[in-house]
Amino acid sequence: MTTKSPELPIFVCATADTNLAVGKRFTATNTTDTLQNTFAESMGLREKNPIYIVTCSLTKICVAQPTQSGIVYANTVIAHKHQRLHMLTADCIALALYCSQCHIHALSHVGWNTLCTKHISRLVEKINTLHKCGKEYINVTSSPAICANCYINRGWRGVIKNYLLSLTNKHYQRQRSVNLRGIVIQHLIRAGIIAKHITLNATCTAEMPQLSSYRRDGTNRTNANLAISGFTSRNKA
């Protein structure tokens, strides 16, 4: 006898060839065709409405309509449980938030500059306003991202980054390395997310050859990491 288990959140990250070296933007769904077949369909996400997020802002949050699909130009998209979210990253964090009760979920591009704003707290409040289940039901996970050992600031740009981060993050200590995950966790906890509900992927993009890394590959990089998030129902025999 086959029974249907509760819907489970799914979050995967893999490398997609995007021809970044020749200046092509993520403007067509065929960029992820192979990955959809490999990951999304195998996890029961085949029927989901795919939304492709093109990062064009540090803090813009879009709320998807129930039947919406296709390309959305924003930093973050909040979607319904029947919709699948896609986002390209290199070393930054693709941050996934979801409600375990109503299954509203969001995917957000988070880098050092986003952490100089109140974007994460605004996102948490927006989700809380939409689903009204309470922040205690919001869970957070993420894609692989660059680790503090590999994210080293150098030169005058590094000085500026450190200065801006120290202005907007009280517990940030000016140093050459940037701990993106640590700062994200601080922002989430300050926004009211329960610490045990935060599980960020510890894999470093710069240390993992199978993943794309701007810090590691520089201008020679011709691909990006594709993060896919959504919900699926698994059948149990």
Side-chain angles (χ1 to χ4, degrees):
M1 180 177 179
T2 300
T3 59
K4 196 174 184 180
S5 68
E7 290 189 332
L8 302 172
I10 291 294
F11 191 95
V12 295
C13 188
T15 301
D17 187 0
T18 55
N19 296 314
L20 293 178
V22 294
K24 292 185 179 180
R25 294 286 304 277
F26 182 42
T27 56
T29 58
N30 59 11
T31 302
T32 58
D33 279 349
T34 302
L35 290 175
Q36 285 182 41
N37 292 332
T38 305
F39 294 104
E41 292 185 8
S42 67
M43 292 183 298
L45 294 172
R46 182 177 183 179
E47 73 286 356
K48 309 300 181 181
N49 297 338
I51 294 177
Y52 305 90
I53 304 170
V54 177
T55 306
C56 65
S57 166
L58 293 180
T59 59
K60 184 178 180 180
I61 300 173
C62 290
V63 179
Q65 298 300 315
T67 59
Q68 185 174 350
S69 61
I71 296 169
V72 176
Y73 293 89
N75 170 281
T76 304
V77 170
I78 301 174
H80 302 268
K81 67 178 182 180
H82 61 276
Q83 293 168 309
R84 186 174 69 239
L85 298 174
H86 298 244
M87 175 181 289
L88 293 178
T89 67
D91 289 317
C92 293
I93 297 175
L95 194 67
L97 298 85
Y98 62 93
C99 173
S100 60
Q101 294 296 300
C102 67
H103 294 169
I104 191 173
H105 64 114
L107 193 59
S108 180
H109 185 278
V110 179
W112 75 269
N113 41 13
T114 305
L115 294 173
C116 291
T117 72
K118 296 181 179 180
H119 172 70
I120 290 180
S121 62
R122 286 179 54 243
L123 174 57
V124 171
E125 290 301 326
K126 186 71 172 178
I127 294 174
N128 192 48
T129 300
L130 288 171
H131 70 58
K132 303 183 185 303
C133 295
K135 295 179 183 179
E136 64 270 23
Y137 294 107
I138 298 178
N139 293 264
V140 185
T141 185
S142 75
S143 68
I146 193 167
C147 70
N149 292 332
C150 295
Y151 196 169
I152 307 297
N153 282 325
R154 296 181 175 87
W156 62 269
R157 291 183 180 179
V159 173
I160 294 175
K161 286 182 182 181
N162 282 330
Y163 176 70
L164 293 174
L165 283 168
S166 66
L167 284 179
T168 52
N169 297 276
K170 294 181 180 180
H171 302 291
Y172 179 79
Q173 297 179 351
R174 292 193 206 178
Q175 51 191 359
R176 294 185 64 196
S177 64
V178 179
N179 184 357
L180 288 178
R181 292 179 183 83
I183 302 175
V184 165
I185 290 172
Q186 291 177 11
H187 279 239
L188 289 167
I189 292 176
R190 287 203 299 266
I193 302 298
I194 300 174
K196 67 179 181 180
H197 291 171
I198 304 171
T199 308
L200 302 188
N201 193 311
T203 303
C204 176
T205 49
E207 295 176 345
M208 183 68 67
Q210 296 88 346
L211 295 175
S212 177
S213 170
Y214 177 78
R215 287 269 166 168
R216 184 190 64 224
D217 302 328
T219 56
N220 295 323
R221 184 172 64 95
T222 60
N223 55 15
N225 302 315
L226 173 65
I228 305 176
S229 66
F231 283 89
T232 184
S233 295
R234 295 187 184 277
N235 292 326
K236 292 183 179 180

